[in-house]
């Protein structure tokens, strides 16, 4: 078991498969960080108490030597120690449980508490009337008043059914651990495949809010490939093309007030930070 008691200014980033993860954008972002940061597996939640195996079935696969192995649906916690960030990151990559959500969340909170993490970032993705030809919309909300004020976040006004992301974030706040939920909006007409463009948008939002450098790796290239595929789909179907055009008009009209000097300056500052980092300045 990895010692979590002496981490560097740790932050937690979590994502779960299922209802909260349209086009695998949220889990795709965490999977990317696990790979790019060569994160170390810390522990895994015992799946027996939380998963219905007829809903989330175990998988049989082959290892590198050709041997067969069984993988159970569960939630795993990884530790990343990226040298260029000045802090350690706990990455929670899981499957939304089928039962006992409060007990499941408390198990995760015990790990958060052991690590002395002062912030939990929960990622999600939903289907929306969003055109694929524009930047993926990303929103960030929090129930923590201090965090909302410090980061100029909008308090969540959503009412209705929620997933494990909402339950986990709420329990974090209840127990005194600030939590922020970051969601990307996936074009609903092209949500049948993973969306690396949305994963990249989620990571960009984390970087902007936390001033925590996110490794892009091959995500930009994958996002461009996704974009080309989406373009081809809309070009082949006139009805889809017309629908996308109507979404573009709605989006462009809604975005006009956001083109302020402050927003442009913030985006340019992020660009300069990334350029200096890439050039070793």
């Amino acid at each position: 078991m990895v010692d979590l008691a002496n981490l560097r200014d740790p932050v937690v980033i979590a994502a779960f498969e299922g209802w909260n993860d349209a086009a695998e954008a949220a889990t795709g972002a965490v999977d990317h960080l696990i790979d790019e940061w060569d994160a170390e597996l810390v522990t895994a939640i015992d799946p027996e108490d939380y998963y219905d195996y007829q809903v989330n079935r175990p998988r049989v696969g082959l290892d590198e030597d050709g041997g067969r192995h069984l993988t159970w649906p569960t939630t795993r916690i990884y530790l990343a120690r990226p040298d260029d960030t000045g802090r350690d990151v706990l990455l929670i990559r899981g499957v939304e449980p089928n039962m006992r959500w409060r007990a499941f969340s408390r198990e995760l909170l015990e790990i958060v508490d052991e690590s002395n993490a002062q912030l939990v970032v929960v990622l999600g993705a939903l289907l929306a009337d969003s055109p694929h030809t524009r930047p993926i919309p990303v929103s960030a909300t929090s129930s923590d008043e201090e965090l909302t004020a410090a980061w100029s976040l909008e308090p969540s006004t959503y009412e209705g059914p929620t997933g494990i992301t909402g339950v986990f974030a709420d329990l974090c706040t209840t127990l005194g651990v600030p939590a922020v939920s970051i969601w990307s909006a996936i074009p609903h007409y092209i949500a049948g495949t993973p969306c690396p463009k949305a994963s990249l948008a989620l990571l960009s939002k984390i970087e902007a809010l936390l001033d925590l450098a996110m490794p892009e790796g091959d995500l930009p290239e994958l996002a461009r490939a996704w974009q080309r595929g989406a373009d081809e789909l809309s070009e082949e179907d006139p009805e889809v093309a017309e629908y996308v055009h109507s979404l573009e008009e709605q989006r462009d009209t809604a975005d006009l007030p956001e083109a302020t000097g402050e927003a442009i300056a913030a985006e340019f500052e992020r660009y300069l930070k990334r350029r200096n980092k890439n050039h070793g300045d």
Side-chain angles (χ1 to χ4, degrees), residues 80-93:
R81 301 177 183 269
D83 294 332
D84 56 348
T85 66
R87 69 193 314 177
D88 296 324
V89 184
L90 279 179
L91 298 165
I92 298 177
R93 203 291 190 194

Side-chain angles (χ1 to χ4, degrees), residues 27-269:
T27 53
V30 171
D31 285 340
H32 175 78
L33 293 179
I34 291 172
D35 291 340
E36 288 293 315
W37 281 335
D38 194 22
E40 177 183 4
L41 179 64
V42 174
T43 188
I45 301 294
D46 187 341
E48 286 295 312
D49 291 335
Y50 304 114
Y51 295 99
D52 180 346
Y53 298 139
Q54 291 183 323
V55 177
N56 291 298
R57 291 183 178 273
R59 295 178 178 272
V60 176
L62 299 177
D63 58 28
E64 296 179 354
D65 299 323
R68 297 178 67 82
H69 63 88
L70 193 63
T71 302
W72 294 91
T74 189
T75 292
R76 296 177 174 84
I77 296 87
Y78 297 83
L79 173 62
R81 301 177 183 269
D83 294 332
D84 56 348
T85 66
R87 69 193 314 177
D88 296 324
V89 184
L90 279 179
L91 298 165
I92 298 177
R93 203 291 190 194
V95 181
E96 184 175 70
N98 304 112
M99 59 198 78
R100 302 185 69 225
W101 284 19
R102 286 180 292 183
F104 174 86
S105 297
R106 284 194 293 268
E107 281 205 40
L108 295 182
L109 258 295
E110 289 178 3
I111 296 170
V112 173
D113 182 63
E114 182 183 350
S115 71
N116 297 311
Q118 299 302 304
L119 176 68
V120 172
V121 178
V122 183
L123 303 182
L126 51 81
L127 301 180
D129 293 330
S130 175
H132 73 274
T133 52
R134 299 294 185 266
I136 296 289
V138 177
S139 61
T141 62
S142 178
S143 298
D144 184 273
E145 294 182 359
E146 292 185 8
L147 198 61
T148 299
W151 287 354
S152 300
L153 303 177
E154 292 292 331
S156 176
T157 58
Y158 171 76
E159 294 181 299
T162 189
I164 191 60
T165 56
V167 173
F168 181 47
D170 182 75
L171 187 57
C172 287
T173 301
T174 300
L175 297 181
V177 181
V180 59
S181 297
I182 302 178
W183 285 76
S184 59
I186 310 296
H188 68 86
Y189 57 89
I190 193 168
T193 58
C195 183
K197 183 177 179 179
S199 297
L200 186 61
L202 287 169
L203 295 181
S204 296
K205 189 67 172 180
I206 296 174
E207 183 171 271
L209 288 177
L210 277 65
D211 194 24
L212 177 64
M214 294 285 108
E216 290 188 340
D218 61 353
L219 266 184
E221 181 180 349
L222 294 173
R224 287 190 291 270
W226 179 91
Q227 184 74 49
R228 290 192 296 269
D231 288 341
E232 292 173 1
L233 172 68
S234 63
E235 290 169 0
E236 293 170 357
D237 190 327
E239 290 186 1
V240 173
E242 182 179 353
Y243 178 63
V244 170
H245 181 65
S246 69
L247 292 179
E248 289 172 339
E249 290 182 334
Q250 296 173 22
R251 174 71 180 276
D252 293 345
T253 300
D255 283 353
L256 282 176
E258 297 180 7
T260 62
E262 183 178 347
I264 294 172
E267 183 62 32
F268 186 61
E269 182 179 354

